[in-house]
Amino acid sequence: MAVCAATLAYGRAWYACRNEWPLRRGLSWLAGAALALIALSPAMMHFGHARIEGHMIQHLMLGMYAPVGLVLAAPVTLALRVLPQRAGRTLVRLLASLPVRTLAHPVSAALLDIGAMFVLYLTPLYGFMHDTPWAGTLLHLHFLLAGCLFVWSIAGPDPAPHRPGPRLRLLVFFLAMALHGALSKYIYLHGYPLDSASTLEQRRLAAELMYYGGDLAAIAMAIAFFAALFKPCGTARHAGPNRKTNQAPNHS
């Protein structure tokens, strides 16, 4: 599984930098990976397929909670510390490339993450995803990747060349969370998604989970954003890449 492979790679890099890598970063990765693995466990997969409340719990764990832990673990910064010089420079160039800069822009990331939820829950797409196994797998992958992209674009500690300033990021963050809350209320009031497998009461419970669960993720992101914004310059010595690689400035 990709999450296990990524965790193994992170653990090896963490061990290589064990004397200088902040413990909180490593623990953050372990927490995010654990949430993702729980969400993808057989029991949770069955619960998510059988009941819309289970699906919403999976959505929160994969799309909101796990990404916060994984992104705040600064995996790119850790990779730059341990990669050979050529590989490190390649990674830096990739981060600065136009496609990555476009996807990692807060507006693009918000559209892929929060905007996609409107398409999923307010159209027949949810029913198709629910009844098609391969489509459900793609949906879970989208939840995790889009969630990580959104957290990285707003509050990620990793290097992000050409990252917009904090005002724009904060504005997009508040708008995205407001839209997430508005979608939750709309689902509650109108009983979406319109699938035959769940009752109105179940859909309303799922909407409540989405609304209040989203608030918890928003609080965690806000804390990370303002902690990075007001961090004294003297505490940033762990954020830089390996001495052997190109220097990639951290614009967070």
Side-chain angles (χ1 to χ4, degrees):
M1 184 181 292
V3 176
C4 294
T7 299
L8 179 60
Y10 189 98
R12 292 182 62 182
W14 183 9
Y15 181 78
C17 300
R18 58 190 178 278
N19 294 327
E20 57 183 28
W21 190 245
L23 178 62
R24 70 181 187 280
R25 299 290 190 202
L27 295 179
S28 179
W29 179 274
L30 292 179
L35 287 169
L37 290 174
I38 292 172
L40 295 172
S41 65
M44 187 59 69
M45 291 291 288
H46 176 75
F47 184 35
H49 188 266
R51 299 177 66 93
I52 192 171
E53 309 99 290
H55 161 83
M56 196 58 69
I57 292 173
Q58 280 187 298
H59 152 65
L60 290 169
M61 295 177 71
L62 279 176
M64 305 192 82
Y65 300 154
V68 171
L70 296 176
V71 172
L72 295 186
V76 175
T77 301
L78 181 58
L80 289 172
R81 286 176 177 260
V82 299
L83 285 174
Q85 185 174 12
R86 177 175 295 183
R89 288 177 176 174
T90 300
L91 180 57
V92 170
R93 287 195 297 268
L94 177 63
L95 292 174
S97 66
L98 181 60
V100 173
R101 281 161 36 201
T102 302
L103 287 174
H105 192 280
V107 174
S108 304
L111 288 175
L112 288 171
D113 188 27
I114 307 299
M117 296 180 195
F118 283 81
V119 178
L120 174 64
Y121 295 123
L122 302 185
T123 71
L125 182 61
Y126 174 79
F128 174 75
M129 293 287 186
H130 182 272
D131 298 330
T132 310
W134 65 264
T137 301
L138 288 180
L139 176 63
H140 294 147
L141 181 62
H142 173 82
F143 276 156
L144 184 60
L145 294 182
C148 287
L149 188 66
F150 180 65
V151 176
W152 182 40
S153 70
I154 300 296
D158 278 325
H162 308 283
R163 171 179 280 164
R167 291 185 180 179
L168 177 60
R169 285 186 283 142
L170 192 61
L171 175 62
V172 173
F173 170 68
F174 281 128
L175 288 176
M177 291 299 99
L179 288 173
H180 186 272
L183 177 61
S184 306
K185 293 179 180 179
Y186 189 88
I187 290 174
Y188 182 90
L189 292 174
H190 298 278
Y192 280 89
L194 297 177
D195 66 301
S196 58
S198 58
T199 65
L200 177 62
E201 290 74 17
Q202 290 173 334
R203 295 195 292 270
R204 286 185 169 177
L205 177 56
E208 291 179 343
L209 289 171
M210 183 178 179
Y211 183 83
Y212 294 109
D215 284 348
L216 293 177
I219 291 172
M221 283 187 62
I223 292 174
F225 176 88
F226 286 109
L229 187 64
F230 296 109
K231 178 175 62 177
C233 296
T235 65
R237 67 184 184 93
H238 290 299
N242 192 317
R243 292 185 299 268
K244 297 184 295 182
T245 64
N246 282 356
Q247 295 297 312
N250 189 335
H251 296 279
S252 62

